[in-house]
Amino acid sequence: MLAALVLLQAVPAAAPVFAPPTDVTLHVTIRRVETDGEERRIYTAERRVRFSREGSGYRADVTVLAASGESAGMEGALYEAGYRFLIDRTIAIHLNAAGEAVAVDDLDALWEDFCHGIAERYATTKGVVESEARDRFIEQVVTTLKGWPEERRIRTFGSMVTAIAAPGPFAAPGTTEPVTIPGRSASGDSVSLTGTMETRAQGPLLYIVTSASGSVPAAEATRISQREGRVIDPATGLIRRSEARSSTETGTGAEAGIMTAETTLTVSPER
């Protein structure tokens, strides 16, 4: 549910590392709050992750513990539908040495369940209740989703693990470097956001704060800003905690509209 920050400028760095612990089960919690005027959407997810060595890479066994989507629209319902069939079900995700998802066990069966869960919930939120019309509607949605290429389906399930990975290179503590990261306006326009990345030491951990902003030249001026603070364990390449906030302001004066998104990610040993 976190937007990847892609650094486009090289910085003095430690060697990249992805070495997750294999002797502990991790508990991952994600909470995202989106605000658009009077509308507020809250998404939360909890999952259990345990890594084991596998050749030159790793296997991650992931169990979804809970997921909820609080929204006045259909977004929350579809979010829950995408996770519901995974509750208390363990998925094996295979990663290469860099921490990238390269395969998922039983991918076809998982994707089939995912597609039907989304399609059935979508039909309900759209008010399609007549049996034959509902069956046709569901089949159309399922057909569309099943058309996704294998790489995209692997990334979809793999993100349950890759969201907590932050392999280097990491800048040296005490440095502040310029960065350029990708952003996107509410209408989908791409924009490059420029700013800084500050790296500080927190004992054996790193605290990395990235702040960037940019504008989209359009009929309605759009200003975008992002800030993310991450506590990273450089010995494992995993995020311990992340707090991110993005803001998109469109228009000016009394007509200005502001959309915000705040995401908190925590990773801790399961007790």
Side-chain angles (χ1 to χ4, degrees), residues 26-109:
L26 301 176
H27 190 97
V28 180
T29 302
I30 300 176
R31 175 181 168 88
R32 180 176 175 85
V33 179
E34 299 177 353
T35 304
D36 184 2
E38 298 296 321
E39 185 177 352
R40 194 165 185 252
R41 298 178 292 272
I42 303 174
Y43 305 97
T44 59
E46 291 184 56
R47 51 185 172 261
R48 180 186 297 124
V49 181
R50 189 172 182 90
F51 292 96
S52 58
R53 289 294 314 203
E54 184 176 68
S56 61
Y58 294 87
R59 166 180 168 141
D61 290 305
V62 183
T63 305
V64 176
L65 303 176
S68 65
E70 302 172 32
S71 171
M74 70 173 63
E75 294 90 347
L78 295 181
Y79 176 83
E80 290 185 356
Y83 277 102
R84 184 179 298 113
F85 81 99
L86 293 174
I87 299 293
D88 294 330
R89 184 172 179 177
T90 299
I91 303 174
I93 299 172
H94 304 274
L95 312 165
N96 61 19
E100 301 165 328
V102 294
V104 177
D105 284 2
D106 301 320
L107 179 62
D108 290 342

Side-chain angles (χ1 to χ4, degrees), residues 165-184:
F170 305 115
T175 60
T176 299
E177 301 290 338
V179 294
T180 301
I181 62 177
R184 193 169 295 276

